[in-house]
Amino acid sequence: MTSESSAWVVHKGPNWFRQRLVMATLAGRNTRFEEVRQFDDNPGLNSHEASFLRLIDKLCNGTRIDINHTGTVIKYRPGIIFGGKVVHDCALSRAIGYYLEAVISLAPFAKKPVHLILRGVTNLEIDPSVDIIRTVTLPLLRRFGLEDGLELKISKRGNAPDGGGEVIFRCPIIRRLSSVQFINFGKIKRIRGIAYSARVSPATPSRVVDSARQLLNNLLPDVYIYSDHYRGEEAGNSPGFGLSLVAESTEGALISADCVARPGELPEDLGKRASKYLLQEVSRQGCVDTQHQAFCLLLMVLCPEDVSKVRFGQLSSFTIQYMRDIRQYFGVTFKIVTDSETKTCTLSALGVGFSNFGKKMG
């Protein structure tokens, strides 16, 4: 007789809570989180973790979630990814990107096309901004075979702490992904970006753009950064400004950098900080930037039973932990070949042949 401990994937503490829920949902593995902040003054899940759990429950059908009376033990039994139209108010402690990044991993395998409306903070330093998700994350997903109908619209801009932003995400469903071979970085041919502001001086985005161009034009002349100032209801509930940059290579690699103004930070300082961050990412010469490494690895695992190969720059500690979780949930390991000259590494893996049985054969 199989004991309960062997039938469940057990994790101690709340670390990597979001990624493990996503993998549990895709792999259909029962997962238990124990000792979740049991010695803290406020034990159990944080507001954004509980909000993410509610969002997963809305997107799926048949999910069962059991939480003990102290909130320190969570049992998660995944259901079927159903999709459809979902409206969710995100916790303001994390940006919309915290929720959307995980949903994008699930949405292509839903039973119905996903029409998701998320409300909250659109830009926060610790999470990918909605601008980067629109310009980098979605094109990366298209590279794996998802083409028509993928869309992200920013209806309202929302800055911390009071949010007020709103985005609309639409994603079609797909039977299965396509394997990729993405190992040539090429050379940077253009840089695009967007400098936004809300409830501050309309001249702020222009000051950010001028500062960023002073540094980036030393790399190449083809630099164009849009200025976007939000007014009225579209400006959200709090003032703020930020800059999102994307460098595109001749081989189609998209490298991003995203910065949000800190309290008291000048627009000129923000422009320089974001530009330096982008140049640092470009210098790593990976076909995928640091914040998209884990997402790319998950797509490689979900591909058909064929080898996918992608070139990365320096692997982050988050990515390394992500590979450990992938091995635990899917039983997939990666072959890593390093290049001492460019200080990059090429990761290859055999996909598990994940199929969406909710989509009928065309």
Side-chain angles (χ1 to χ4, degrees):
M1 182 176 179
T2 304
S3 64
E4 184 182 7
S5 59
S6 62
W8 290 72
V9 179
V10 181
H11 301 292
K12 301 286 186 181
N15 294 336
W16 303 287
F17 179 76
R18 179 184 54 150
Q19 73 186 49
R20 287 167 171 171
L21 280 182
V22 170
M23 292 186 195
T25 304
L26 290 170
R29 301 284 300 275
N30 294 339
T31 302
R32 185 168 71 243
F33 296 88
E34 299 177 345
E35 301 176 9
V36 179
R37 301 186 182 91
Q38 62 178 354
F39 298 115
D40 288 10
D41 293 334
N42 296 313
L45 297 176
N46 288 332
S47 59
H48 58 269
E49 293 167 340
S51 179
F52 178 72
L53 202 56
R54 288 193 293 270
L55 175 59
I56 293 296
D57 191 35
K58 291 178 181 179
L59 284 170
C60 299
N61 194 1
T63 300
R64 182 175 174 182
I65 302 168
D66 297 318
I67 304 176
N68 70 344
H69 67 282
T70 61
T72 57
V73 177
I74 298 97
K75 292 182 178 180
Y76 176 74
R77 297 176 176 88
I80 299 172
I81 308 171
F82 189 76
K85 184 174 181 179
V86 175
V87 180
H88 185 70
D89 293 320
C90 304
L92 301 180
S93 55
R94 297 297 290 264
I96 288 176
Y98 171 84
Y99 306 85
L100 193 55
E101 189 180 32
V103 170
I104 291 174
S105 303
L106 301 174
F109 307 105
K111 189 174 182 179
K112 293 184 177 181
V114 173
H115 179 194
L116 178 64
I117 300 175
L118 294 175
R119 302 187 180 108
V121 177
T122 56
N123 297 76
L124 203 61
E125 192 90 359
I126 59 176
D127 295 312
S129 71
V130 291
D131 303 287
I132 294 301
I133 290 177
R134 181 174 58 85
T135 56
V136 179
T137 310
L138 297 189
L140 179 59
L141 184 57
R142 292 188 184 101
R143 184 176 284 273
F144 282 84
L146 197 66
E147 293 290 343
D148 300 328
L150 195 60
E151 178 190 0
L152 179 63
K153 179 183 177 183
I154 306 170
S155 303
K156 300 177 183 178
R157 185 72 65 171
N159 293 293
D162 297 327
E166 180 180 283
V167 302
I168 301 173
F169 172 64
R170 291 184 175 90
C171 181
I173 56 177
I174 190 172
R175 179 72 175 180
R176 58 176 60 88
L177 298 176
S178 302
S179 58
V180 298
Q181 302 288 321
F182 195 18
I183 55 177
N184 295 321
F185 179 73
K187 296 183 181 296
I188 298 299
K189 66 177 182 178
R190 69 167 68 99
I191 294 177
R192 296 292 182 264
I194 178 169
Y196 76 90
S197 65
R199 301 196 180 278
V200 296
S201 170
T204 301
S206 298
R207 294 169 61 186
V208 173
V209 171
D210 292 340
S211 176
R213 285 181 61 92
Q214 287 180 4
L215 191 60
L216 295 176
N217 280 138
N218 294 326
L219 175 65
L220 75 168
D222 192 358
V223 178
Y224 192 90
I225 304 174
Y226 299 87
S227 298
D228 197 359
H229 179 68
Y230 288 79
R231 294 182 174 88
E233 292 184 359
E234 294 182 350
N237 301 327
S238 296
F241 58 95
L243 176 61
S244 299
L245 297 170
V246 179
E248 183 180 354
S249 79
T250 53
E251 299 294 334
L254 297 173
I255 309 300
S256 65
D258 191 40
C259 289
V260 179
R262 296 165 180 167
E265 186 174 25
L266 295 175
E268 290 78 9
D269 295 336
L270 174 70
K272 291 180 181 178
R273 181 161 62 91
S275 300
K276 290 178 180 178
Y277 182 26
L278 179 68
L279 296 177
Q280 185 181 24
E281 281 288 341
V282 169
S283 68
R284 291 173 178 151
Q285 300 186 59
C287 295
V288 179
D289 60 29
T290 303
Q291 67 176 339
H292 287 90
Q293 287 177 352
F295 178 63
C296 184
L297 291 177
L298 181 61
L299 295 180
M300 291 169 65
V301 170
L302 298 177
C303 282
E305 295 180 4
D306 194 6
V307 175
S308 294
K309 187 180 295 185
V310 179
R311 178 181 175 184
F312 291 83
Q314 182 180 357
L315 298 178
S316 67
S317 57
F318 179 84
T319 304
I320 294 171
Q321 176 60 43
Y322 205 90
M323 288 192 287
R324 294 184 182 124
D325 287 333
I326 284 176
R327 182 179 60 182
Q328 185 172 22
Y329 279 96
F330 296 99
V332 175
T333 56
F334 292 86
K335 179 183 178 182
I336 303 176
V337 179
T338 59
D339 187 337
S340 58
E341 183 178 349
T342 60
K343 296 182 179 179
T344 61
C345 56
T346 301
L347 274 70
S348 56
L350 183 67
V352 297
F354 192 87
S355 296
N356 181 7
F357 295 104
K359 180 178 174 61
K360 297 180 180 178
M361 297 290 289

